């Protein structure tokens, strides 16, 4: 699996298609966060932006591989492992971008009465929840489940929006807690997001297999 992760990471890096979602995330932070803003609110904002960004990255990783290379990799390692590696690569890039955003918020924001360790843990958990939720959306809205780019992009946008506004969504729960000023660990949201991402990945991998 390590070799497959390196392979998909290299594909994504060389394609330069990662630039658009990463720059979009940077633009989200530049517009929505200013030094001195409250840390919990800003962490919630930084985490929420990861849902569409990670969905986009996962879609890229699932489709960036040329068909001939896809067939060769599937023959060598199995289609399920190749699909899982693509999804994990997108999730890793999304989580990495969210981690950098959270660090910027923690360094430049106003913590108020929130202790730094608690705020950092809550922010990291919210980042992971939203990245996992975005990965689930991307897995369901990319190859092999949706092959037509237009439909896939529209579905990913709608899915990301629903993930942020639907009652019971792990991403909404984690973001709402931070916006409300809580720095408690969103363990329930984290478990829900992991289950959601796992189910979406299994569905996509089964379809590819």
């Amino acid at each position: 699996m390590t070799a497959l992760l390196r392979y998909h990471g290299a594909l994504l890096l060389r394609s330069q298609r990662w630039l658009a979602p990463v720059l979009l995330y940077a633009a989200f932070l530049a517009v929505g966060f200013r030094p001195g803003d409250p840390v919990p609110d800003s962490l919630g904002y930084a985490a929420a932006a990861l849902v569409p960004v990670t969905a986009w990255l996962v879609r890229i990783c699932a489709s960036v591989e040329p068909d001939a290379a896809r067939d060769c990799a599937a023959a060598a390692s199995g289609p399920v492992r190749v699909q899982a590696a693509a999804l994990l690569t997108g999730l890793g890039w999304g989580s990495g971008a969210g981690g950098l955003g959270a660090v910027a918020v923690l360094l430049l924001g106003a913590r108020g009465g929130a202790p730094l360790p608690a705020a950092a843990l809550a922010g990291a958990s919210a980042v992971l929840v939203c990245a996992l939720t975005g990965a689930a959306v991307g897995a369901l809205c990319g190859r092999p489940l949706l092959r037509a780019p237009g439909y896939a992009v529209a579905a990913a946008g709608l899915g990301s929006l629903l993930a942020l506004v639907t009652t019971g969504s792990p991403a909404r729960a984690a973001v709402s807690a931070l916006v409300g000023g809580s720095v408690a660990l969103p363990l329930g949201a984290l478990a829900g997001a992991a289950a959601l991402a796992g189910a979406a990945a299994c569905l996509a991998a089964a379809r590819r297999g």
Side-chain angles (χ1 to χ4, degrees):
M1 182 59 78
T2 302
L4 285 173
L5 290 173
R6 288 201 301 266
Y7 168 65
H8 279 284
L11 280 176
L12 178 62
L13 190 63
R14 287 201 301 267
S15 75
Q16 298 186 3
R17 292 172 64 184
W18 57 272
L19 280 170
V22 170
L23 289 176
L24 175 64
Y25 184 67
F28 272 132
L29 289 183
V31 169
F33 170 69
R34 292 290 183 272
D37 286 350
V39 162
D41 285 0
S42 301
L43 286 173
Y45 181 85
L50 279 182
V51 176
V53 168
T54 307
W56 192 350
L57 285 165
V58 167
R59 279 201 64 257
I60 291 172
C61 291
S63 61
V64 70
E65 193 178 12
D67 290 338
R70 177 185 298 267
D71 293 339
C72 290
S77 302
V80 173
R81 286 169 58 85
V82 173
Q83 182 71 15
L87 300 181
L88 286 172
T89 301
L91 173 62
W93 277 67
S95 300
L100 292 176
V103 169
V105 168
L106 289 168
L107 290 176
L108 301 175
R111 290 196 303 274
L116 179 59
L121 284 174
S125 300
V127 162
L128 185 55
V129 167
C130 290
L132 285 167
T133 304
V137 173
L140 294 174
C141 299
R143 295 180 66 173
L145 297 175
L146 284 179
R147 296 181 180 273
Y151 291 126
V153 170
L158 179 60
S160 298
L161 176 62
L162 291 175
L164 289 169
V165 302
T166 302
T167 301
S169 165
R172 178 181 174 180
V175 171
S176 297
L178 282 171
V179 171
S182 172
V183 291
L185 290 178
L187 297 179
L190 189 57
L196 187 65
C202 289
L203 181 59
R207 182 67 179 271
R208 177 162 180 171

